[in-house]
C-alpha cells in the first residue's frame, strides 16, 4: 500500500473513531441521551457564516461608540431534537468535548514533532519549558492579578508559554546555530527556575492556592465555546504548517549534516519546527492547564502502528490524541470507569491531567517492559 493511501486510510479510520468517541462522550452524563439523538443535536450545532453584523461597543471612560463587526452564522441542519436534549448537548457537554479534542490534537501533534526534533523518545511538548512558562503565567494571573498586564488567564498563560520557548531558543543559539543538546539543557535549566518561581507564587497565593493547583493539574471543567475559539484556530493552522514540513523532519532524523547535504535549510527548519510546536502546545496548555502524557504516549503508540514516517505519523498521532483526551476527560467528568465486564469502578471527579497520568504512566511502563519503546 502506497504512503498516500496509507495516510488517508489511517486518517479516515481515526477520524471515524474520534467521531464515535465524541458521540459516546456526549451521550453520557447525569441525563443519558441515546447516541442517535446526540448525533442529530451535534449536527444541529453546525453552522456556517452567512453575513456580517456590526455592533457598537462603548469605550469605558470615554463614552464613544465604536463599530465592531462580527460574523452571523446559519445552521446547516434542522433535525427534530427535544429542546432540553439540544441544550444539554450543544451548550453543556459539547464545548468541553470540543476543547478536549482540540487540546489532545495539539499536544499529540506537538509531542510527535518534539520527539522527532530531539531524536529522543522521552521528549514531549513541555521539554523546552513551554508548559512551565504557561503555568508561571497562569499562576501569576491567579495569585497576583494586579501585577499581570493581561486581563485574561488564557492570554497570560499563552504569552508565558511562548515567551519561555523563545527565551530558551535565544539562550541556546550562538553564532546563528542552535545545537539540539544545548537547547535541551537550556530547557531543563529554565524549567527548574520557573518551577522555583511557581512554588514561590503558590506559597504567596493565599486563598487562590486551590484554583492555581487545579489549573496546574490540567482540567477541562467550565469549558466554553470561547475557549475553543481561542485554541482551535492556532492549533489547526499550526499543525497544518507542521504537516507541510513533515518530510524535512524525516530528513533531520538522519543528522543535521546529512540533512544539509540533501538540501534542507537546517537552522531555518529547526527554528520553524520549534516555533510551531511551541505555538501549538501553548494554545492547548493555555486553555486546559498542564496535561501530561498525551504528547509522550500517543506518538509512541502510533509509531508502533504506522511507522516512523512523519508524513503519516503526525496526522494520525494528532487524531489519536484527540480521541484519547476526549475519552479520558469523559472518565474525569463522570467519576466512573466503565469496564466491559463487571461493575463500573467509582472514581473521584478529578482534573483530567490526573487521569491521563494514571493511565499513561502504567501503559508506558508496559511498553518499556515489552521493549517496545525505541529510539526515534
Amino acid at each position: 500500500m502506497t504512503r498516500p493511501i496509507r495516510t488517508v486510510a489511517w486518517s479516515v479510520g481515526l477520524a471515524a473513531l474520534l467521531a464515535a468517541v465524541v458521540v459516546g462522550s456526549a451521550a453520557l452524563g447525569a441525563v443519558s441521551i441515546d447516541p442517535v439523538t446526540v448525533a442529530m443535536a451535534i449536527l444541529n450545532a453546525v453552522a456556517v457564516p452567512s453575513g456580517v453584523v456590526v455592533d457598537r461597543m462603548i469605550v469605558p471612560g470615554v463614552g464613544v461608540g465604536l463599530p465592531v463587526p462580527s460574523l452571523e452564522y446559519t445552521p446547516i441542519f434542522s433535525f427534530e431534537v427535544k429542546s432540553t436534549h439540544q441544550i444539554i448537548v450543544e451548550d453543556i457537554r459539547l464545548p468541553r468535548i470540543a476543547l478536549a479534542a482540540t487540546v489532545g490534537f495539539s499536544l499529540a501533534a506537538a509531542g510527535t514533532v518534539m520527539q522527532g526534533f530531539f531524536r529522543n523518545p522521552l521528549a514531549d511538548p513541555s521539554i523546552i519549558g513551554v508548559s512551565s512558562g504557561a503555568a508561571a503565567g497562569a499562576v501569576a494571573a491567579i495569585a497576583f492579578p494586579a501585577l499581570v498586564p493581561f486581563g485574561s488567564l488564557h492570554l497570560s498563560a499563552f504569552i508565558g508559554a511562548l515567551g519561555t520557548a523563545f527565551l530558551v531558543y535565544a539562550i541556546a543559539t550562538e553564532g546563528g546555530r542552535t545545537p539540539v543538546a544545548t537547547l535541551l539543557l537550556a530547557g531543563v535549566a529554565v524549567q527548574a527556575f520557573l518551577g522555583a518561581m511557581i512554588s514561590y507564587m503558590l506559597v504567596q497565593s493565599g486563598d487562590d492556592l486551590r484554583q492555581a493547583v487545579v489549573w496546574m493539574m490540567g482540567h477541562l471543567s467550565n469549558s466554553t465555546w470561547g475557549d475553543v475559539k481561542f485554541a482551535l484556530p492556532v492549533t489547526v493552522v499550526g499543525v497544518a504548517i507542521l504537516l507541510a514540513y513533515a518530510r524535512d523532519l524525516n530528513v533531520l532524523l538522519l543528522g543535521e549534516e546529512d540533512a544539509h547535504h540533501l538540501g534542507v535549510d537546517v537552522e531555518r527548519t529547526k527554528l520553524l519546527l520549534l516555533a510551531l510546536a511551541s505555538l501549538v502546545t501553548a494554545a492547548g496548555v493555555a486553555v486546559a492547564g498542564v496535561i501530561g502524557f498525551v504528547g509522550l504516549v500517543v506518538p509512541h503508540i502510533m509509531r508502533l502502528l504506522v511507522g516512523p514516517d512523519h508524513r503519516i505519523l503526525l496526522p494520525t498521532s494528532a487524531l489519536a490524541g484527540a480521541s484519547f483526551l476526549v475519552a479520558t476527560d469523559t472518565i474525569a467528568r463522570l467519576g466512573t470507569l466503565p469496564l466491559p465486564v463487571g461493575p463500573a469502578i467509582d472514581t473521584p471527579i478529578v482534573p483530567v491531567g490526573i487521569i491521563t497520568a494514571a493511565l499513561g504512566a502504567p501503559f508506558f511502563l508496559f511498553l518499556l517492559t515489552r521493549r517496545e519503546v525505541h529510539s526515534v
Side-chain angles (χ1 to χ4, degrees), residues 117-370:
F117 182 93
F118 286 100
R119 300 194 291 277
N120 187 336
L122 295 179
D124 69 355
S126 64
I127 193 168
I128 60 168
V130 176
S131 295
S132 297
V139 173
I142 293 170
F144 308 103
L147 301 179
V148 178
F150 317 115
S152 167
L153 171 65
H154 296 341
L155 185 58
S156 180
F158 186 75
I159 292 175
L162 286 184
T164 301
F166 285 104
L167 173 63
V168 170
Y169 181 83
I171 292 173
T173 301
E174 182 178 0
R177 296 187 67 256
T178 310
V180 171
T182 306
L183 190 66
L184 182 59
L185 292 173
V188 170
V190 170
Q191 281 190 74
F193 175 77
L194 288 176
M197 296 301 296
I198 291 168
S199 298
Y200 173 79
M201 289 188 288
L202 288 175
V203 170
Q204 300 295 325
S205 59
D207 295 337
D208 297 317
L209 175 62
R210 185 178 184 279
Q211 181 186 357
V213 171
V214 168
W215 189 93
M216 291 179 62
M217 291 178 181
H219 71 95
L220 293 164
S221 57
N222 302 320
S223 302
T224 66
W225 284 115
D227 298 332
V228 179
K229 292 178 181 178
F230 182 94
L232 184 60
V234 177
T235 298
V236 170
V237 173
V239 174
I241 299 174
L242 285 172
L243 279 170
Y245 281 85
R247 176 191 169 277
D248 291 347
L249 184 56
N250 286 341
V251 176
L252 282 176
L253 292 177
L254 302 174
E256 294 185 13
E257 186 174 344
D258 289 339
H260 176 73
H261 290 314
L262 290 172
V264 175
D265 187 338
V266 173
E267 293 302 324
R268 177 179 175 276
T269 301
K270 284 164 59 179
L271 173 60
L272 187 63
L273 290 173
L274 188 68
L276 288 171
S278 300
L279 181 68
V280 169
T281 303
V285 175
V287 294
V290 182
I291 299 177
F293 278 94
V294 178
L296 177 64
V297 174
V298 172
H300 274 300
I301 297 173
M302 295 313 302
R303 190 176 289 109
L304 294 173
L305 294 175
V306 305
D309 187 344
H310 287 88
R311 292 171 292 183
I312 304 175
L313 180 60
L314 184 54
T316 54
S317 293
L319 289 169
S323 296
F324 175 73
L325 195 56
V326 171
T328 51
D329 185 59
T330 303
I331 298 171
R333 174 168 59 87
L334 296 177
T336 57
L337 181 60
L339 298 176
V341 179
I345 297 177
D346 289 333
T347 61
I349 299 177
V350 296
V352 67
I354 295 178
I355 303 294
T356 59
L359 295 177
F363 185 77
F364 194 70
L365 290 174
F366 169 75
L367 293 179
L368 285 173
T369 58
R370 294 286 303 273

